[in-house]
């Protein structure tokens, strides 16, 4: 049974990854680490995850012996840890943005100077529905951002037909992370809905990169605006697509075919709510051809902490170790 | 002091109208009526409104003596009541959709056979920021829908420049009305967000009609999709505009000029949240010229029960009786 | 593998029971029935449960062939179905109140005329932490109410020392059931907290009966008041105990000993929140000896739909079939 | 028109006090001060309060010239500011706990060393329903805590009959203040309910002091436990009273008489919800004589930021300046 650690397990996504691996039938979770909370028990920080382990300082001599790691560090801080683990032969799924963008200049325009540009080439973009085979052979997987996960699953089947795309995204507050801020204060978020990152959200280049890879025209720039909603987990992307040419098929049929064999994508007739996918690795999608405007609407719902982060990381780990892709993901 | 009734005061918007009129310095609220709850006290149904009146059956002989009425009946049921009140010389603000659409065929396509098409011509569309002078002289005002109110305030200043418009709208559950349904059940709405009315929401023709009146090209059909959010009051419209030609000015400046003298429109730099306007007649708007995509984004927040319905009705009544437009509206 | 049905699977607790049994390693869920929703798919009604079965009308000829049933019918309607299934030799866990009270007169005082008083004697009260051995041998288990479950786990270890008890209980809205009512309307429950059933809640005689069985003095009548909170799942009971005599031990130690071998009771130092036990069969308890008042405070948190209903029913089924008590309960 | 400042207007209660005074017909709000946010506009921090003033550093030379001040500083920090303002003849309502407890030793046991014990004697406890006449003549009013406000209004009419009292209190998150912490993080509070301050909440001595003053037996120590609820504003106290002797009257009648002339206390038959009093200075109370246990239950709902803090402060100011007690309080 491969041994695995979660590095950075005190944040929301790291902690959830630890929970999933602790219950996983084919991995042995041997340690959880944290810089800020070393010494505390994970089941004290997150009682509902019920992971009976104490958080440790990351110790590469010891932790570098494992077979695999999920790294849940902030952007910029992740790359050095990933590099050190890779040097020791550890297979890594990285939850940060550090290895998602193929173009280091683009990365540095949106984030920080890249600490390990040499590793970018080796990284596989971990959206299994697009890169399943590459993930199987990968040593380093860059787990997609939550918004790109939902948006790409919603738009990739239409990639060759996209003339213009508006994505209006909605996310629960857990997407803003565990840090207590004015934004995450209950009184700020409750009974409220607010657009944020207007015109400059970091997930935009990631979405564009992968839509281009899927066949969208090079000049396409997706319009993307996220909104903060008063709920804890859940993310909905509402995509309004102007087609460059007719699809030739019923739009729902296009999606049904595209995802016919996907264990974690559900194509449905009625627009999904985020509650439909809460606490699952499922992305639920409905498409609608709008006769009145000629546009195609696509709605995709995920749990931002699950398919948008931690359970997708486990799905990737399953593939990297040639396990059943659905193992430990509870469906 | 003009006397006024609220007909249909047991629903959310009628009850709020009663509250505003009960505290209004220049109107005398003499009766509140209800078909379903006659006999009950309004402050029993809605303690927080503190209107110490009992609901009565509508009695035109008696209630037709007043100077003014706010009618809060369902679509189709409103028109006959409005007609009866108008016959008796009562000035009416109608909260239903019955007199909003100029084209009776369009009305009947989206709603029901129209009971009083003859009155349509006399009705003024009650968005004071667009039709203030007409409202002043009106005997019958069709109070706009909540989504049209926010959407039109967001888009009217750009009407001559609209090539394509996507409106993604978000509303709290009070917008679905007082009726207990699967949709309004707490467990359905809580921790959820769901698109609804996809491709066929009744507010679309109203938005198109008024954008055309404001100068938008005849062929423009707005893409409009509402979403149900887990909050009680509040509505945000996120508008993504493809321009037909350059604005010639900074977009925020366009809005500041358009609304420089409006008492209830706030143009701000940072995208608004619905909490900013809760329990007020204010529409708060921010516009953003997006260099990356060339689109203009406009975000407008209102309280769906206030500016989206009842307080806007009072604003209209103020105008119809030549009162200070802001009287009784608490700012 | 024993076959099992859920009769009455369209309500919250029946649907959750179906989910748990559908994924259970040692039961074969062969049918789900519903009177009101026969013909609909359960995964259409409750997408998040992901049970790919259609709801059927209950057909005793067919459904009476199974090994076990969980019955989730309303009070009074459950007893005849339970009787019919028992006649055919089916082992039953009944989620209604029909077989919880030993005294048929007491039942009829709080509920309705009892349709099958003859079966009361055979029923075992399904709180495994109190009646584990009896449940193992039972053909009919009366699953406890949600409030009694939490309250009894909180108070039973102190039963011999109780002079007076005040229980202030708080529950999420799912406890009020799936029916859309004024009470369960989002706008009623949101941003609100309300006491209900003041002085006459039906769970009171059940709590008294079982506290007496646990050794509380016969004259003890627990003061019990539930409150409705703006959350979907979760229940907290706050118990304020006047002792009749000293405990002789640290109060937390009393609880640790009482529950040392219980797989689903967690005794902790810090007062629990309901989020700690969401979507689990766990009851989390903290006790505090208050020097200032001489009272003992006990706080117990459960998920009202899980340990308060459906997962406890599965725990009981596990025992009735001599399986691992924790099978299929995900901890 | 008396001039007034709010010192410490960047917290929730100070900001709300500023809003109420800015719209008050008989006070002139001349300045709002803040240590942490000087320079920012109050309508930028709290758009929904719509107070068009910039926050300033407190400058006693200038701000000491006003007629009145509401001070909303933290405990311990308030007393020196209050003292400085009083020296300059300014009438002060202090929202902190610094002058609530008559016994400086008791204060120092629960809070910090008292910076100005000499002023305690001059301070009037600002619960108008108990100390109206004293407030009228006061130069310094200690505004009650939110929990004591609701609890004392619930229990004072029974003070002479109290043998034992359990108070289970529930509050929205705004009661925890504006500071972003793990506790006030949306993801911590949402879908949760948690007891806190178990056995040692600072409002206990304040409640005891005032119940004794109202005639409760000296040895009475109220059992008091607050709970954090997932809502922004609102507070409910559920009081379970063991009587020392019969009331001699119907309990609701006792409350109706006690509060017959109170403009801000509503005695009702059905247990109140906090939504009934949101954004008002009202305390809504229902009492129930429980035949089964012999106890009296009293439920009192307030808005913790309004009657529990800022609007009660304005009510006190009204009295101190011999104005209509309800002026500016919107009922």
């Amino acid at each position: 049974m491969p041994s695995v650690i979660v590095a950075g397990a005190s944040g929301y996504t790291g902690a959830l990854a630890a929970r999933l691996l602790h219950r996983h039938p084919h991995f042995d979770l041997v340690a959880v680490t944290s810089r800020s909370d070393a010494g505390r028990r994970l089941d004290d920080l997150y009682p509902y995850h019920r992971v009976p382990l104490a958080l440790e300082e990351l110790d590469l001599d010891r932790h570098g012996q494992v077979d695999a790691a999920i790294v849940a560090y902030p952007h910029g801080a992740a790359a050095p840890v990933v590099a050190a683990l890779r040097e020791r032969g550890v297979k890594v799924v990285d939850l940060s943005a550090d290895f998602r963008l193929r173009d280091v200049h683009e990365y540095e325009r949106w984030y920080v100077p890249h600490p390990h540009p040499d590793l970018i080439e080796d990284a596989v973009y971990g959206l299994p529905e697009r890169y399943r085979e590459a993930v199987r052979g990968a040593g380093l997987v860059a787990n997609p951002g939550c918004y790109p996960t939902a948006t790409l699953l919603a738009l990739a089947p239409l990639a060759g037909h996209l003339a213009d795309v508006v994505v209006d995204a909605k996310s629960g507050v857990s997407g803003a992370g565990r840090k207590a801020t004015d934004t995450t204060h209950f009184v700020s978020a409750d009974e409220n809905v607010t657009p944020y990152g207007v015109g400059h959200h970091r997930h935009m280049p990631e979405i564009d990169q992968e839509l281009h890879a899927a066949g969208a025209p090079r000049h396409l720039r997706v319009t993307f605006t996220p909104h903060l909603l008063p709920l804890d987990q859940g993310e909905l992307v509402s995509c309004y697509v102007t087609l460059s040419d007719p699809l030739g098929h019923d739009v729902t049929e296009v999606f049904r075919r595209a995802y016919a064999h996907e264990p974690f994508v559900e194509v449905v007739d009625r627009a999904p709510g985020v509650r439909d996918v809460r606490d699952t690795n499922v992305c639920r999608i409905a498409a609608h051809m709008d006769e009145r405007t000629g546009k195609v609407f696509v709605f995709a719902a995920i749990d931002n902490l699950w398919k948008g982060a931690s359970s997708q990381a486990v799905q990737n780990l399953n593939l990297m170790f040639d396990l059943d892709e659905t193992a430990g993901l509870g469906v």
Side-chain angles (χ1 to χ4, degrees), chain A:
Chain A
M1 194 139 78
S3 59
V4 59
I5 63 166
V6 175
S10 59
Y12 290 155
T13 57
L16 175 57
R19 161 181 163 175
L20 294 170
L21 292 170
H22 174 62
R23 284 165 181 66
H24 198 287
H26 307 311
F27 284 105
D28 183 19
L29 177 65
V30 296
V32 287
T33 78
S34 165
R35 298 173 299 175
S36 54
D37 291 282
R40 293 191 64 178
R41 291 184 59 85
L42 196 52
D43 52 9
D44 179 48
L45 265 183
Y46 298 96
Y48 46 94
H49 284 331
R50 289 189 166 66
V51 177
L53 293 174
L55 290 157
E56 310 169 27
E57 293 278 355
L58 179 67
D59 169 358
L60 283 168
D61 285 346
R62 213 151 37 87
H63 298 134
Q65 311 291 326
V66 295
D67 298 303
I70 290 181
V71 175
Y73 272 48
H75 313 313
V81 174
V82 169
L85 289 165
R86 290 298 299 133
E87 264 176 39
R88 284 157 179 83
V90 180
K91 291 190 183 181
V92 174
V93 178
D94 177 31
L95 290 175
S96 86
D98 286 359
F99 301 102
R100 292 178 195 158
L101 299 181
R102 316 309 308 159
D103 178 345
V104 68
H105 303 296
E106 191 71 359
Y107 175 89
E108 299 189 337
R109 204 159 76 81
W110 293 87
Y111 294 92
V112 292
H114 200 296
H116 272 277
D118 52 303
L119 282 178
I120 293 178
E121 193 173 9
D122 297 336
V124 172
Y125 189 75
L127 190 62
E129 290 77 8
R130 300 283 311 150
Y131 296 102
R132 181 166 285 117
E133 288 318 307
V135 169
R136 275 195 222 278
L140 168 56
V141 165
N143 214 60
C146 56
Y147 289 125
T149 294
T151 304
L152 294 170
L153 292 173
L155 295 176
L158 307 176
H161 303 269
L162 303 174
D164 188 54
V165 180
V166 169
V167 180
D168 186 283
K170 295 106 179 148
S171 173
V173 182
S174 63
R178 180 189 159 206
K179 198 167 147 49
T181 66
D182 285 354
T183 300
T184 61
H185 195 298
F186 186 88
V187 174
S188 301
D190 181 52
E191 300 301 314
N192 208 353
V193 47
T194 329
Y196 67 97
V198 174
H200 60 267
H201 195 279
R202 287 167 164 181
H203 283 172
M204 296 193 302
E206 187 180 336
I207 292 169
D208 281 350
Q209 165 185 293
E210 292 302 320
L211 279 182
H212 296 155
R218 301 300 308 168
H219 58 81
L220 183 78
R221 292 288 172 276
V222 168
T223 297
F224 173 82
T225 306
H227 297 71
L228 190 70
L229 300 196
L231 46 95
D232 59 359
Q233 288 165 236
E235 190 171 296
L236 179 78
V237 294
S238 305
C239 307
Y240 305 96
V241 175
T242 306
L243 296 173
S244 53
D245 58 303
L247 292 176
H249 296 281
D250 173 77
V251 67
T252 298
E253 195 52 33
V254 169
F255 279 87
R256 286 202 199 281
R257 285 185 200 178
Y259 296 124
H261 304 294
E262 285 301 336
F264 293 115
V265 181
E266 296 175 354
V267 179
V268 293
D269 291 323
R270 199 173 38 175
V274 299
R275 182 175 268 268
D276 300 348
V277 297
R278 187 185 172 96
D279 290 338
T280 75
N281 194 48
V282 172
C283 178
R284 195 169 170 101
I285 299 180
H288 165 77
M289 176 75 224
D290 191 52
E291 299 304 335
R292 193 165 158 281
T293 59
K295 288 196 166 60
V296 166
F297 305 166
V298 191
F299 304 98
I302 61 170
D303 186 313
N304 57 301
L305 294 182
W306 286 65
K307 181 67 175 170
S310 310
S311 66
Q312 180 151 268
V314 172
Q315 184 182 1
N316 281 317
L317 265 194
N318 284 342
L319 288 167
M320 293 162 84
F321 283 82
D322 266 324
L323 301 168
D324 172 2
E325 187 172 341
T326 68
L329 293 172
V331 173

